[in-house]
Amino acid sequence: MQPFIYCASASRVIFGSGSVGRAPDEIDRLAAKRVFVIGTPSALGPVSPVLAQLGARVAGIFDRPEPHVPAGLAEEARRTAQALGADACLVIGGGSAIGLGKAVALTSGLPLIVVPTTYAGSEMTSIYGITDGGVKRTGRDPRVLPRTVLYDPTLTMSLPSNLSASSGMNAIAHCVEALYAQDGNPVISLMAEEGIRALAQALPGLVACPNDENARTLALYGAWLAGTSLGSTTMALHHKACHVLGGSFDLPHAEMHSVVLPHAAHYNREAAPGAMNRVARALGSDEGPAGLFELAQRLQLPRSLASLGMPESGLLNAAQQITAAPYPNPAPLSFDGVLALLQAAWSGVAPGTVT
Ligand code: NAD
């Protein structure tokens, strides 16, 4: 066994149907008196009884999160929270709302209570990202790690099938890269493998029947494991590629992860055989990368970067960016190898097919 360092997350996690109803108690635990609410509009409706229960303790509601957290919006939200005298922030929604909450926490120090409604996993990490002048700056800071996370599967019922599927593949990507991360450890590997298993079992059922509460619960459990895996390790080639593609070509976040993941896993298959065995075992497949590709197909997700709007002329530039400042990765990065990966992902062929 390799030597390792394990650091447990400082977040308190409450999981289960109806757990959003515990938000007032969690606010009490923080001794907060005035809560600034940040929410994804489509996720706020079902939470209105809880907000009504909080009554005057709701200092204000900010329901305009945007993808990639524009710096101006983050500053506006922080000023609003400050003007309202907020002493805590309650975030309800997907990664965009949580990202905005983190940006407010970063500069104000307000503690965060988060109720995630997608499977993106940001709620379990101390990673923040803010976009200024077209450049997304990311970093880690303990101030943005939520103090409490309330995982309530009933709030994910309204997430449409296609978003559930792509968001779930985004979560599986966190698990796959945690399994071969340079700073991985045995506990996180257990969580990551179980996360893939839970999501792969739940997602096909959700696509067929988005109101299946058991499948919703299993998927959110997998998303928690995936978010924890993401927050505890350093991501590799797959996340670097998605960071570059998302930043330079404004591709849809979760779908892009789904397209790139089988190809990034294929790139690392020989350098990380143990991780690939665990991916295959969790998917119930003979082979990890092929199993990921098949799962995405079964979920009827877009198969190619071309179908997401990526111009073929951008592949060279993307390969240059990925290899110029790489994330640590089990297989050494070569420009030609990364370009071949991107070409395969762009055209939508199965991983390992020469294009
Ligand atoms: P998102 O928050 O933009 O949500 C995607 C869509 O789902 C939106 O249209 C939203 O309105 C809708 N939605 C959310 N919850 C819903 C619900 N319950 N019912 C119906 N619709 C709902 O996107 P996302 O995929 O959740 O998050 C992506 C963002 O999160 C990216 O900017 C990414 O960089 C960031 N992220 C950050 C971290 C981190 O650790 N910092 C981790 C993962 C993702």
Side-chain angles (χ1 to χ4, degrees):
M1 182 180 284
Q2 296 288 325
F4 63 86
I5 296 174
Y6 173 68
C7 202
S9 165
S11 287
R12 175 177 156 85
V13 171
I14 301 178
F15 189 100
S17 291
S19 58
V20 72
R22 298 183 58 163
D25 291 345
E26 294 305 310
I27 291 164
D28 286 343
R29 275 178 69 92
L30 297 178
K33 303 280 180 252
R34 290 184 62 74
V35 180
F36 185 59
V37 178
I38 294 178
T40 300
S42 45
L44 276 174
V47 183
S48 48
V50 177
L51 299 184
Q53 192 187 336
L54 285 169
R57 293 171 73 189
V58 175
I61 299 178
F62 196 96
D63 63 358
R64 291 182 284 111
E66 288 177 27
H68 306 302
V69 192
L73 189 76
E75 179 58 13
E76 182 190 342
R78 187 193 64 77
R79 280 179 196 270
T80 309
Q82 189 180 31
L84 292 166
D87 55 6
C89 194
L90 172 65
V91 184
I92 299 142
S96 299
I98 299 170
L100 182 59
K102 285 177 162 182
V104 170
L106 182 69
T107 47
S108 67
L110 292 183
L112 296 178
I113 297 173
V114 171
V115 187
T117 63
T118 70
Y119 307 134
S122 178
E123 67 281 354
M124 291 308 299
T125 84
S126 58
I127 306 165
Y128 63 87
I130 298 170
T131 305
D132 203 358
V135 178
K136 190 166 181 178
R137 180 172 55 90
T138 60
R140 288 189 190 244
D141 193 300
R143 282 175 296 181
V144 311
L145 182 71
R147 301 283 188 89
T148 304
V149 181
L150 299 166
Y151 280 104
D152 188 336
T154 60
L155 297 183
T156 61
M157 293 294 210
S158 54
L159 196 62
S161 296
N162 60 337
L163 269 176
S164 303
S166 57
S167 190
M169 287 299 290
N170 183 191
I172 287 177
H174 306 330
C175 297
V176 171
E177 295 236 290
L179 283 170
Y180 55 58
Q182 61 156 10
D183 49 1
N185 64 67
V187 175
I188 290 301
S189 290
L190 288 171
M191 295 180 109
E193 183 177 339
E194 173 70 356
I196 298 171
R197 187 174 294 113
L199 286 155
Q201 202 179 318
L203 295 175
L206 279 188
V207 170
C209 181
N211 292 327
D212 180 339
E213 195 172 333
N214 287 333
R216 284 287 178 200
T217 303
L218 190 60
L220 199 58
Y221 164 67
W224 165 55
L225 295 170
T228 305
S229 302
L230 170 70
S232 307
T233 55
T234 303
M235 295 286 107
L237 169 62
H238 168 79
H239 280 75
K240 175 69 189 190
C242 289
H243 195 117
V244 166
L245 294 171
S248 301
F249 303 99
D250 200 23
L251 303 184
H253 178 81
E255 287 93 335
M256 172 185 64
H257 272 272
S258 176
V259 170
V260 173
L261 181 61
H263 302 283
H266 177 79
Y267 191 98
N268 283 324
R269 74 198 180 286
E270 284 173 3
M276 288 309 140
N277 285 341
R278 295 185 86 138
V279 174
R281 187 166 63 192
L283 293 171
S285 167
D286 291 340
E287 220 223 330
L292 293 166
F293 189 72
E294 281 154 23
L295 178 62
Q297 280 185 300
R298 218 174 138 203
L299 299 176
Q300 297 161 31
L301 285 165
R303 196 196 269 214
S304 67
L305 293 176
S307 68
L308 299 182
M310 163 110 190
E312 188 172 12
S313 58
L315 295 176
L316 272 175
N317 177 271
Q320 269 152 4
Q321 287 190 61
I322 293 165
T323 47
Y327 292 176
N329 190 62
L333 291 197
S334 73
F335 176 81
D336 289 347
V338 170
L339 184 59
L341 178 168
L342 292 177
Q343 264 159 345
W346 184 82
S347 51
V349 296
T353 310
V354 178
T355 51

